């Protein structure tokens, strides 16, 4: 952890809260067991104001002043259950966010539902993420995104999520703490201007000019596919249409005639593990963009060449989980 | 829609006026401040009024145009100007009046420099202070309405402030929740009002400039001082008779003036104990309660010959038989008194006292003195002298009027020998001077005479217009005898109201005129309600609280502990009530109720039913989680499904089966837990 010492009572408090927040099912519902409530600074200020007004009423024997102070105090007392009820019964589901590259923002989708129809303004706080959401009697569920900056690759969790409300007067804050178990993939950061992979990466039998991908103006019908309704017209090859042919598009995502094997050892030019992973990542993305079949050879194993989205993500996950100092 | 049609353009216009303020926390807060300051606006001096108005307008314009917060030297300069303005308007720094005025000005400055939610909450606190300060000016139902409405607006502002970080929030929802909480607080507030023990004030003493803000009898008598008051129909005090009957001539005694300097009469600073006062005589006994309006003086107006008096403040009886409090009666105060009348007020005067009470300044009123001395030469017996003076007054054919011709000096001479006209203070002054000249110790009593019975609640209302002055003369064997010289001019005045006996009604309050009886009756009803309010709400003090406790069977010496315990119980009850009010609505359908009990039980174990989950799916999920309890879960689900989805089972029967199954399930789950 960081250099700052975490006091032991905090750890103990967190352990206690974790025990209470543990849910067998996937959805976390705020109950009295997991709801905490304390006065806020505004509440303390309000109490001080009431004390002053009470002394004023006593000193001048203002019976109606007493009545006013007692009413204001009674409102504060009633605000405690009202604040708790604004949070109790909220079901919180943290979904899986889309995978991102390190340095991008993770968007954790948080689904909030309310079993009992009432107005609930909620404030969500997670490490370095903050969001506001509200439920109304007519809109019983809402999805908000907690945006979290990422720095390190890996499989990450949201961390300590606090859902709080100060409704209706702001004198009390009711909150609940949970540690969502859903996780998100953070892939290594692709190197911005990565050098091309070495020629030796292209596997021998298919080595050739194709590794550079489709060059504009040199398409032939083998690299084309028919246009489908809804696709952007600007990509249609009008030369063919002008010759009386059908609307055709260059086939970019289709299987390109090429296979590369991207090797860990080829990234030796980069300084450290992370930089090498970044370069590999950039190469993988480049190969995928060009529609090449690509494989990755890492010190701890080989991923055989393949194409497609699922292969890409499998490779990127592998890179994300690469042990930090394994080299 | 038609009903809202005329109001729609108005609302549109209002929205146009307020601009971006609409829907923000600032809007209700500004309204609350307007209520707080509007209710006491005419109590401020002109300069302060102008300052408040200017600052409010500046604040409004800057907020409306969304100009940023005011900072730097301009703010400091404005603050300094406010402080100096208050010093200039009041002439001193510290006191109740400049304090309230300063807060009334600074609250706008604070708001002008406001940046954060915390700052706005500070403004809300100041608004609450200014609202409470309204009660220093008066505690009528109207004041209460304005203040409580203002406080509600402040709380609404707090609710909006809480959500200021939320964008595009539906604005009516927070207001509705805040209003609901405020309404739920009312029963608890009532309990606290009755139960929380009142601390008798003042705690640190009132500031020197605390004023009652009302005009009443002063404690000196000069020509014209009462006639001025007779034009006011404000209430002086209200009397509720508890035992006995008030006499026909109802003289309410206030300060007794014994020191005469030729122009004015003043109370004697000399206060020797008067043991003769303790001897109660007279057979006619009256017990009464009076509720006296605030005044700047400590005098308590009591029925003549009141020998016992108690109230929420400390009272003492002066040597002249008047009652006074230790401090000015700045609050409306309630007293209980007992009077026995029918005999003169006994006192044995020493020769020094006789000399002091017959003293006249040598130059003043030469003609009256001469007449008095002539009577003294003719008659030896004090009774005979008194009778001779009365004869003298009767023969003068004095005219009783609210607007006597002005007299410069020697007022007794002027009234008796020149103008032959006057109001009660002129006659009292002349009579006392002549009696002293005739060697009879004489003094003037200030107070009220009469009062009318309110048919709506049977109380007696004594108004400022009933202010009166009369004379007491000491007759050697008996003591002090009351003589009302006004009766020589208008014999009926002693037992009838001013409006009925004055021939010229010019300058008399409209409602005292007999032809306005219908309005009088309406006002009587209003005043009866006001009396109830003053006694039960505005006048609910420590004494009244103790009396209420006693009537509930609490012994006052133990009442404090009881009150604290009861307050705690009230708080706990309120919390329970709130809990009950906040819980999910239960269904009236017995089947549904059992089903909800089941769902709640499971939700407590972290297995809440998803909104889209049907009973069958939910049941399956639960059985997977609690395989040991699957039999109980099934026993509970089957009757529910059968009754709900057509298995031919009656609702009542199914509900009973579910209840049994729920009981079993609960026991099974407990066993699981302990195992």
């Amino acid at each position: 952890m960081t250099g700052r010492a975490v006091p032991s009572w905090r750890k103990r408090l967190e352990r206690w809260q974790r025990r209470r927040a543990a849910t067998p099912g996937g959805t976390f519902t705020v109950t009295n067991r997991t709801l905490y409530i304390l006065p806020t600074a505004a509440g303390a200020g309000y109490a001080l104001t009431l004390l002053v007004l009470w002394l004023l009423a006593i000193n001048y024997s203002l019976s109606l002043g007493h009545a006013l102070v007692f009413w204001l105090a009674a409102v504060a007392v009633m605000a405690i259950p009202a604040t708790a009820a604004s949070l109790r019964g909220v079901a919180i589901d943290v979904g899986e966010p889309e995978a991102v590259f390190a340095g991008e923002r993770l968007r954790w989708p948080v689904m909030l539902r309310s079993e009992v129809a009432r107005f609930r303004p909620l404030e969500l706080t997670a490490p370095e993420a903050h969001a506001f959401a509200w439920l109304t009697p007519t809109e019983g569920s809402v999805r908000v995104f907690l945006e979290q900056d990422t720095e390190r690759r890996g499989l990450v969790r949201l961390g300590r999520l606090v859902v709080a409300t100060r409704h209706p007067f702001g004198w009390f804050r009711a909150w609940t703490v949970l540690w969502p178990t859903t996780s998100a993939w953070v892939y290594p950061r692709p190197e911005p201007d990565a050098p091309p992979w070495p020629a030796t990466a292209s596997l021998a039998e298919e080595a050739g000019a194709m590794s550079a991908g489709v060059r504009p103006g040199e398409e032939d019908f083998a690299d084309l596919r028919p246009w489908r309704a809804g696709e952007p017209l600007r990509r249609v090859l009008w030369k063919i249409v002008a010759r009386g042919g059908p609307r055709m598009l260059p086939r970019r995502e289709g299987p390109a005639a090429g296979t590369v094997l991207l090797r860990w050892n080829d990234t030796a030019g980069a300084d450290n593990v992370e930089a090498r992973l970044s370069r590999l990542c950039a190469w993988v993305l480049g190969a995928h963009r060009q529609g090449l079949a690509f494989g990755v050879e890492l010190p701890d194993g080989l991923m055989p060449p393949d194409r497609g989205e699922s292969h890409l993500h499998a490779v990127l996950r592998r890179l994300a989980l690469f042990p930090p100092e394994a080299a | 829609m038609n009903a809202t049609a005329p109001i729609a353009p108005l609302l549109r216009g209002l929205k146009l006026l307020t601009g971006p303020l609409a829907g923000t926390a600032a809007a209700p807060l500004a309204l609350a401040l307007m209520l707080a300051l509007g209710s006491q606006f005419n109590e401020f001096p002109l300069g302060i009024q102008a300052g408040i108005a200017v600052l409010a307008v500046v604040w409004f314009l800057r907020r409306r145009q969304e100009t940023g917060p005011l900072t730097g030297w301009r703010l400091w300069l404005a603050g300094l100007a406010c402080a100096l303005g208050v010093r200039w308007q009041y002439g001193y720094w510290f006191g109740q009046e400049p304090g309230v005025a300063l807060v009334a000005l600074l609250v706008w400055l604070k708001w002008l420099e406001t940046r954060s939610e915390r700052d706005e909450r500070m403004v809300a606190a100041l608004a609450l202070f200014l609202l409470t300060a309204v009660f220093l000016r008066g505690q009528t139902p109207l004041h209460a309405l304005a203040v409580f409405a203002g406080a509600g607006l402040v709380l609404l502002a707090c609710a909006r402030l809480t959500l200021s970080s939320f964008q595009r929030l539906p604005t009516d929802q927070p207001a509705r929740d805040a209003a609901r909480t405020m309404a739920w607080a009312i029963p608890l507030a009532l309990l606290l009002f009755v139960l929380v023990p009142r601390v008798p004030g003042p705690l640190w003493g009132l500031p020197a400039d605390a004023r009652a803000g009302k005009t009443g009898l002063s404690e000196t008598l000069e020509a014209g001082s009462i006639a001025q008051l007779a034009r006011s129909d404000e209430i002086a005090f209200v009397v509720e008779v508890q035992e006995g009957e008030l006499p026909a001539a109802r003289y309410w005694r206030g300060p007794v003036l014994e020191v005469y300097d030729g122009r004015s009469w003043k109370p004697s600073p000399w206060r020797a104990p008067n043991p003769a006062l303790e001897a109660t005589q007279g057979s006619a006994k009256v017990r009464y309660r009076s509720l006296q309006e605030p005044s700047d003086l400590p005098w308590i107006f009591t029925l003549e010959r009141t020998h016992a008096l108690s109230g929420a403040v400390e009272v003492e009886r002066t040597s002249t038989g008047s009652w006074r409090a230790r401090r000015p009666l700045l609050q409306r105060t309630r007293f209980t008194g007992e009077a026995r009348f029918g005999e003169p007020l006994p006192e044995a005067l020493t020769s020094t006292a006789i000399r002091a009470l017959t003293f006249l300044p040598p130059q003043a009123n030469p003609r009256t003195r001469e007449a008095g001395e002539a009577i003294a030469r003719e008659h030896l017996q004090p009774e005979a002298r008194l009778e001779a003076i009365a004869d003298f007054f009767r023969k003068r054919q004095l005219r009783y009027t609210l607007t006597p011709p002005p007299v410069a000096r020697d007022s007794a001479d002027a009234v008796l020998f020149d103008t032959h006209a006057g109001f009660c203070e002129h006659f009292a002054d002349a009579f006392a001077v002549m009696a002293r000249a005739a060697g009879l110790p004489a003094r003037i009593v200030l107070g009220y005479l009469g009062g009318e019975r309110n048919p709506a609640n049977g109380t007696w209302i004594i108004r400022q217009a009933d202010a009166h002055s009369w004379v007491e003369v000491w007759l050697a064997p008996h003591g002090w005898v009351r003589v009302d010289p006004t009766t020589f001019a208008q014999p009926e005045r002693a037992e009838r109201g001013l409006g009925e006996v004055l021939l010229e009604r010019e300058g008399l309050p409209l409602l005292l005129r007999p032809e306005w009886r219908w309005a009088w009756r309406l006002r009587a009803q209003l005043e009866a309600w006001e009396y109830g309010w003053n006694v039960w709400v505005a006048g609910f003090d420590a004494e009244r609280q103790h009396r209420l406790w006693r009537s509930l069977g609490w012994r006052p010496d133990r009442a404090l502990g009881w009150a604290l315990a009861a307050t705690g119980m009230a708080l706990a009850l309120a919390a329970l009530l709130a809990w009950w009010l906040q819980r999910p609505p239960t269904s009236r359908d017995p089947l549904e109720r059992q089903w909800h009990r089941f769902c709640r039980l499971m939700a407590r174990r972290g297995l809440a039913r998803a909104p889209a989950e049907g009973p069958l799916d939910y049941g399956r999920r639960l059985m997977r989680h609690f395989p040991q309890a699957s039999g109980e879960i099934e026993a509970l689900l089957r009757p529910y499904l059968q009754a709900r989805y057509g298995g031919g089972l009656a609702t009542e029967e199914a509900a009973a089966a579910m209840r049994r199954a729920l009981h079993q399930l609960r026991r099974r789950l407990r066993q699981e837990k302990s195992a």
Side-chain angles (χ1 to χ4, degrees):
Chain A
M1 291 303 282
T2 51
R4 200 181 48 202
V6 179
S8 72
W9 66 267
R10 274 216 94 116
K11 280 192 213 149
R12 216 169 302 150
L13 178 72
E14 188 172 318
R15 265 208 303 283
W16 180 71
Q17 286 181 330
R18 270 182 190 271
R19 231 178 9 252
R20 305 193 131 229
T23 43
T27 305
F28 177 91
T29 306
V30 184
T31 58
N32 287 330
R33 253 178 88 76
T34 47
L35 188 148
Y36 313 98
I37 186 164
L38 276 181
T40 58
Y46 183 70
L48 192 70
T49 309
L50 290 196
L51 187 71
V52 169
L53 296 188
W54 194 33
L55 290 180
L56 190 76
I58 289 175
N59 201 47
Y60 289 87
S61 307
L62 301 173
S63 178
L64 284 176
H66 279 98
L68 180 70
V69 170
F70 292 152
W71 181 59
L72 292 174
V75 173
V77 170
M78 291 314 225
I80 301 172
T83 307
S86 300
L87 187 62
R88 194 188 312 126
V90 173
I92 305 160
D93 253 323
V94 179
E96 233 171 78
E98 296 215 351
V100 296
F101 297 99
E104 290 182 338
R105 291 173 80 79
L106 263 179
R107 298 184 79 224
W108 295 87
V110 182
M111 188 75 186
L112 299 162
R113 265 185 298 107
S114 132
E115 309 261 311
V116 183
R118 61 180 300 143
F119 176 61
R120 302 160 183 277
L122 303 168
E123 202 179 330
L124 291 83
T125 317
E128 288 165 39
H130 202 79
F132 295 97
W134 62 88
L135 301 164
T136 63
T138 49
E139 289 170 77
S141 69
V142 71
R143 194 168 67 151
V144 286
F145 289 96
L146 277 169
E147 298 202 355
Q148 210 171 27
D149 277 331
T150 56
E151 281 172 15
R152 300 153 65 91
R153 68 197 163 80
L155 188 60
V156 300
R157 289 195 173 179
L158 178 59
R160 185 173 183 270
L161 171 62
V162 177
V163 180
T165 185
R166 293 188 302 148
H167 184 68
F169 296 108
W171 305 319
F172 296 94
R173 178 171 178 268
W175 75 98
T176 188
V177 190
L178 62 154
W179 285 264
T181 49
T182 44
S183 44
W185 287 100
V186 181
Y187 303 148
R189 183 198 311 261
E191 192 177 334
D193 296 307
W197 57 75
T200 54
S202 302
L203 290 188
E205 67 267 29
E206 283 173 280
M210 302 314 291
S211 62
V214 179
R215 281 173 294 277
E218 291 181 20
E219 306 90 356
D220 64 31
F221 274 80
D223 290 319
L224 301 181
R225 61 172 179 82
W227 175 83
R228 287 185 292 264
E231 283 181 317
L233 284 172
R234 124 182 99 70
R235 288 181 57 204
V236 169
L237 295 167
W238 293 106
K239 259 189 268 177
I240 299 165
V241 180
R243 274 188 251 135
R247 288 176 177 179
M248 300 297 273
L249 296 180
R251 193 197 296 272
R252 297 222 168 160
E253 288 101 43
T259 303
V260 287
L261 184 63
L262 307 165
R263 294 187 187 87
W264 173 261
N265 291 338
D266 291 340
T267 60
D271 313 337
N272 55 22
V273 176
E274 295 305 319
R276 292 174 86 166
L277 286 170
S278 286
R279 184 159 301 170
L280 265 183
C281 183
W283 286 350
V284 164
L285 289 174
H288 175 70
R289 208 174 300 128
Q290 292 174 16
L292 299 169
F294 58 90
V296 178
E297 190 193 85
L298 291 169
D300 56 350
L302 173 84
M303 293 197 81
D306 200 353
R307 289 192 175 82
E309 287 286 328
S310 58
H311 176 63
L312 172 72
H313 285 287
V315 169
L316 289 174
R317 276 179 210 157
R318 183 76 180 268
L319 293 183
L321 287 183
F322 190 79
E325 296 298 332
Chain B
M1 289 314 281
N2 278 342
T4 61
I7 210 170
L10 192 74
L11 284 177
R12 260 205 307 282
L14 201 68
K15 197 150 193 168
L16 218 62
L17 181 74
T18 56
L21 272 174
T24 63
L29 204 49
L31 278 179
L33 271 178
M34 275 167 70
L35 275 174
L37 296 175
S39 312
Q40 48 189 332
F41 200 61
N42 50 9
E43 310 280 346
F44 294 123
L46 200 63
I48 304 294
Q49 288 179 344
I52 291 173
V54 167
L55 283 174
V57 168
V58 168
W59 173 84
F60 178 70
L61 292 179
R62 285 183 71 99
R63 260 301 158 101
R64 196 169 169 266
Q65 288 156 13
E66 294 184 315
T67 326
L70 192 68
T71 49
W73 61 271
R74 278 184 300 177
L75 191 73
W76 288 108
L77 204 66
L80 193 68
C82 286
L84 289 177
V86 168
R87 173 74 174 78
W88 165 61
Q89 284 289 315
Y90 288 97
Y92 52 94
W93 286 110
F94 299 105
Q96 175 189 320
E97 298 284 332
V100 173
L102 199 61
V103 173
L105 290 168
L106 290 186
V107 66
W108 296 103
L109 282 186
K110 175 73 201 162
W111 215 358
L112 276 170
E113 66 112 33
T114 283
R115 265 163 285 213
S116 62
E117 181 195 327
R118 212 185 60 189
D119 288 337
E120 294 235 354
R121 284 196 187 265
M122 180 84 193
V123 173
L126 291 177
L128 285 179
F129 173 82
L130 286 172
L131 282 165
T132 313
V134 170
F135 288 139
L136 293 172
R137 320 289 187 180
Q139 300 193 56
T140 65
L142 214 60
H143 283 111
L145 192 69
V147 171
F148 276 87
L153 285 167
V154 172
L155 295 188
L156 175 59
C158 284
R160 285 189 173 172
L161 271 177
T162 307
L163 303 176
S164 48
S165 346
F166 289 76
Q167 274 146 19
R168 301 187 321 275
L169 204 66
T171 47
D172 58 327
Q173 291 285 353
R176 205 170 302 162
D177 282 6
R180 197 188 306 127
T181 313
M182 287 184 231
W184 284 346
I186 291 173
L188 177 61
L190 286 177
L191 276 176
L192 292 177
F193 187 72
V194 173
L195 291 179
V196 173
R198 294 296 171 86
V199 183
L203 292 177
W204 60 85
L206 300 177
D209 65 337
R211 289 275 175 280
K214 296 222 175 188
T215 50
L217 268 181
S218 72
E219 54 182 356
T220 58
L221 184 86
E222 276 170 80
S225 59
I226 294 183
Q228 201 60 38
L229 210 54
R231 288 176 171 82
S232 157
D233 64 350
E234 266 185 49
I235 292 178
F237 52 98
V238 180
V239 173
E240 204 178 333
V241 180
Q242 295 191 300
E243 195 187 322
E245 286 224 4
L246 292 181
R250 300 175 294 276
Y251 281 87
W252 306 93
R253 263 170 126 246
V256 174
L257 316 180
E258 294 179 332
V259 180
Y260 180 55
D261 63 1
R263 275 184 100 73
S264 62
W265 293 81
K266 291 192 178 67
S268 158
W270 171 64
R271 277 202 217 141
N274 185 356
L277 286 175
E278 300 305 321
T280 58
Q281 297 149 335
S283 50
K285 180 179 151 191
V286 177
R287 268 172 57 79
Y288 63 92
R289 259 195 209 144
S290 75
L291 184 69
Q292 188 169 320
E293 291 294 310
S295 79
D296 293 332
L297 295 173
W299 296 103
I300 304 161
F301 295 96
T302 54
L303 191 61
E304 234 179 11
R305 306 304 319 282
T306 293
H307 63 85
L309 190 79
S310 65
V313 295
E314 262 184 88
V315 296
E316 61 185 5
R317 197 172 189 190
T318 66
S319 59
T320 58
S322 311
W323 290 89
R324 53 175 290 161
R326 288 277 156 83
R327 274 184 279 268
L329 292 165
L330 296 176
Q331 302 295 326
R332 189 179 286 111
T333 322
R334 208 168 149 81
F335 299 101
T336 309
E338 191 177 297
R340 284 173 186 274
F341 42 85
E343 302 283 327
L345 192 64
E347 190 174 355
L349 286 187
T350 61
S351 56
T352 329
I354 291 177
R355 222 172 300 132
L357 288 165
T358 52
F359 171 78
L360 289 173
Q363 306 86 9
N365 299 307
R367 284 179 280 175
T368 312
R369 282 163 55 111
E370 202 175 301
E373 281 157 10
I375 287 170
R377 280 194 296 277
E378 272 174 52
H379 306 277
L380 274 178
Q381 289 301 313
E383 285 91 343
R385 288 180 184 176
L386 186 61
E387 191 50 42
I389 299 171
D391 266 345
F392 182 89
F393 268 69
R394 278 190 208 102
K395 281 184 194 133
R396 289 278 130 183
Q397 301 274 323
L398 298 169
R399 193 160 55 88
Y400 185 47
T401 172
L402 260 179
T403 49
V407 287
R409 47 196 296 271
D410 294 344
S411 54
D413 277 10
V415 168
L416 290 178
F417 298 98
D418 302 332
T419 66
H420 302 281
F423 200 59
C424 62
E425 70 262 37
H426 301 100
F427 302 146
D429 170 59
F431 196 93
V433 169
M434 192 176 268
R436 285 193 173 189
L440 298 173
R443 60 193 188 187
I444 290 185
V445 185
L446 286 182
Y448 294 85
L449 172 59
E452 60 189 349
R453 196 181 160 83
N454 187 341
N457 60 357
T459 55
W460 291 86
I461 297 176
I462 291 90
R463 297 173 194 286
Q464 295 299 352
D466 296 317
H468 195 57
S469 57
W470 60 93
V471 178
E472 282 180 349
V473 179
W474 188 75
L475 297 180
H478 310 295
W480 291 98
V481 176
R482 183 215 325 132
V483 183
D484 187 350
T486 306
T487 53
F488 303 131
Q490 179 49 263
E492 288 181 331
R493 172 67 183 103
E495 292 174 20
R496 300 181 68 178
L498 187 62
E500 293 168 78
V501 297
L502 268 186
L503 293 176
E504 317 135 49
R505 301 225 169 97
E506 208 57 41
L508 201 66
L510 281 184
L511 289 171
L512 286 190
R513 302 181 190 182
E515 63 268 27
W516 285 74
R517 292 310 277 187
W518 61 271
W520 178 83
R521 224 161 274 141
L522 178 70
R523 188 177 65 161
Q525 186 56 59
L526 289 179
E527 280 173 350
W529 286 333
E530 194 186 337
Y531 179 72
W533 170 270
N534 286 340
V535 167
W536 285 106
V537 184
F540 192 82
D541 52 10
E543 190 230 341
R544 189 139 270 275
Q545 192 177 38
H546 278 278
R547 190 160 336 127
L548 183 71
W549 289 352
R550 271 199 296 273
S551 70
L552 292 173
W554 294 348
R555 282 167 48 199
D557 51 336
R558 294 216 188 133
L560 188 74
W562 272 108
L564 287 176
T567 307
M569 263 167 61
L571 283 172
L573 265 179
L576 265 179
L577 175 79
W579 191 263
W580 182 77
L581 286 168
Q582 304 270 7
R583 100 212 129 104
T586 51
S587 174
R588 294 214 169 272
D589 178 8
L591 207 60
E592 220 37 49
R593 210 155 48 210
Q594 297 303 328
W595 174 246
H596 278 303
R597 279 179 67 196
F598 171 63
C599 290
R600 271 206 302 276
L601 175 72
M602 286 312 177
R604 274 202 292 277
R605 280 161 201 278
L607 288 167
R609 188 173 69 88
E613 206 170 15
L616 217 52
D617 291 334
Y618 185 41
R620 279 199 203 106
R621 184 155 70 90
L622 293 176
M623 284 187 217
R624 272 203 306 280
H625 261 288
F626 301 111
Q628 304 85 346
S630 59
E632 282 81 4
I633 293 172
E634 206 190 332
L636 192 138
L637 273 172
R638 193 177 304 116
Y640 179 68
L641 291 170
Q642 273 179 6
R644 187 92 322 173
Y645 303 105
L649 198 61
T651 308
E652 299 299 326
E653 210 177 318
M658 282 177 80
R659 196 179 305 123
R660 279 194 302 274
L662 199 63
H663 184 69
Q664 296 282 333
L665 176 63
R666 200 166 274 155
R667 210 159 58 185
R668 170 54 57 96
L669 289 176
R670 234 183 335 237
Q671 279 168 8
E672 285 294 314
K673 206 169 181 180
S674 60

